[in-house]
Amino acid sequence: MEGNLKPPLIALDGPVAVGKSSVGSLLAKKLGYVFFDTGMIYRAFTWKVLKSGVSAEDKGKLCELVTATEFNFVPSKEGVLSVFIDGEDVSSRLLSPEIERLVAVAAKVAEVRQAMVSEQRKLAQRGKVVMAGRDIGTVVLPWAELKIFLTASTEERARRRHLELSRRGENSSLETVLADLKKRDEMDINRAISPLKPAEDAIIINTENLSLEQVVDKICTLAASP
Ligand code: C5P
């Protein structure tokens, strides 16, 4: 499979809980690429914001904090990246409700985004990367050879996220999950800088009635076609 591949960079964008991580990690595994979920870097920074006691609304403090933060990414054997902040592996701590609530607030700040974009581009230089996020096709890697934008209805995404949370033993109601998801979508779509939207040359895949394997197979076919 690897021999036929054209694009060394695949941009995978879409809203909250559309399946970017599941699709991206399986896709990367099949293609022998590394998967980088850029939501992790925004979450990792938010983890530091919380740890430092800085308000996520305080732009000045966020700018100082992001400049003073050292990010590092280490691929696992499975091709998924672990995120290190100032030398500490924080990858397993990034799905907490506190981070979930604040991450889109910190992600609105221009200087924070600039720092994140530069980290993401450094990483993309290695090639053979599937990079997932909100602005990968539009801002981070507009030169990516293949750009995919995943969609699914808000209700379906809330259902998927609710299931995922229940599996992890977190028991939020479906209504709460739906309300949080709508709020984060709203912030991601309407922010002034790098809002969530498909790149003009992105291929849109509605995942609503497709299995994970079907979505990944579709993208593999696109990646292999001239
Ligand atoms: O994808 P995930 O839900 O982990 O992303 C967390 C948050 O990080 C998003 O809601 C968004 O505010 C921000 N984000 C972003 N740009 C990206 C990836 C994530 O603004 N490329």
Side-chain angles (χ1 to χ4, degrees):
M1 171 101 222
E2 224 179 310
N4 303 330
L5 287 176
K6 309 277 177 321
L9 294 175
I10 299 177
L12 183 64
D13 288 301
V16 180
V18 75
K20 297 184 296 296
S21 302
S22 314
V23 169
S25 48
L26 184 58
L27 178 67
K29 199 166 160 198
K30 285 201 168 184
L31 302 181
Y33 280 29
V34 156
F35 174 56
F36 183 29
D37 182 357
T38 62
M40 291 277 277
I41 180 176
Y42 286 91
R43 286 169 182 264
F45 178 62
T46 308
W47 173 84
K48 181 152 177 186
V49 171
L50 282 165
K51 191 178 165 215
S52 315
V54 163
S55 160
E57 304 285 351
D58 188 337
K59 287 187 191 169
K61 283 270 184 316
L62 289 195
C63 297
E64 280 172 29
L65 201 62
V66 80
T67 318
T69 303
E70 191 199 326
F71 296 93
N72 201 9
F73 310 102
V74 180
S76 70
K77 266 194 251 122
E78 293 76 37
V80 175
L81 288 176
S82 297
V83 183
F84 287 74
I85 291 262
D86 305 322
E88 188 175 350
D89 185 354
V90 295
S91 319
S92 63
R93 306 187 209 158
L94 303 180
L95 298 175
S96 74
E98 293 78 23
I99 292 183
E100 197 111 311
R101 239 169 271 131
L102 278 188
V103 61
V105 180
K108 281 196 301 193
V109 178
E111 289 78 359
V112 170
R113 299 203 71 80
Q114 270 161 22
M116 302 294 146
V117 168
S118 122
E119 294 295 335
Q120 292 162 51
R121 286 186 179 156
K122 265 192 245 162
L123 201 116
Q125 278 171 5
R126 72 191 302 286
K128 292 196 169 186
V129 172
V130 176
M131 195 174 276
R134 305 289 191 285
D135 57 345
I136 310 304
T138 51
V139 176
V140 181
L141 305 174
W143 55 85
E145 289 79 356
L146 181 60
K147 300 179 187 175
I148 304 292
F149 193 91
L150 301 179
T151 65
S153 67
T154 317
E155 288 68 24
E156 171 63 13
R157 290 185 288 120
R159 198 190 58 75
R160 290 178 191 172
R161 177 52 54 95
H162 184 246
L163 195 67
E164 185 192 328
L165 290 172
S166 311
R167 282 197 187 121
R168 287 211 309 262
E170 290 172 35
N171 43 10
S172 308
S173 70
L174 182 60
E175 292 69 35
T176 310
V177 172
L178 181 64
D180 287 351
L181 185 144
K182 281 184 175 164
K183 211 190 270 169
R184 199 137 66 86
D185 267 0
E186 201 340 86
M187 275 195 266
D188 288 343
I189 292 167
N190 296 317
R191 69 174 169 234
I193 312 151
S194 313
L196 168 69
K197 62 172 182 192
E200 275 176 20
D201 51 349
I203 295 162
I204 297 180
I205 300 179
N206 183 348
T207 66
E208 187 98 16
N209 296 308
L210 297 177
S211 67
L212 171 62
E213 284 72 21
Q214 285 172 319
V215 177
V216 172
D217 284 350
K218 256 180 191 272
I219 304 176
C220 281
T221 307
L222 290 165
S225 61

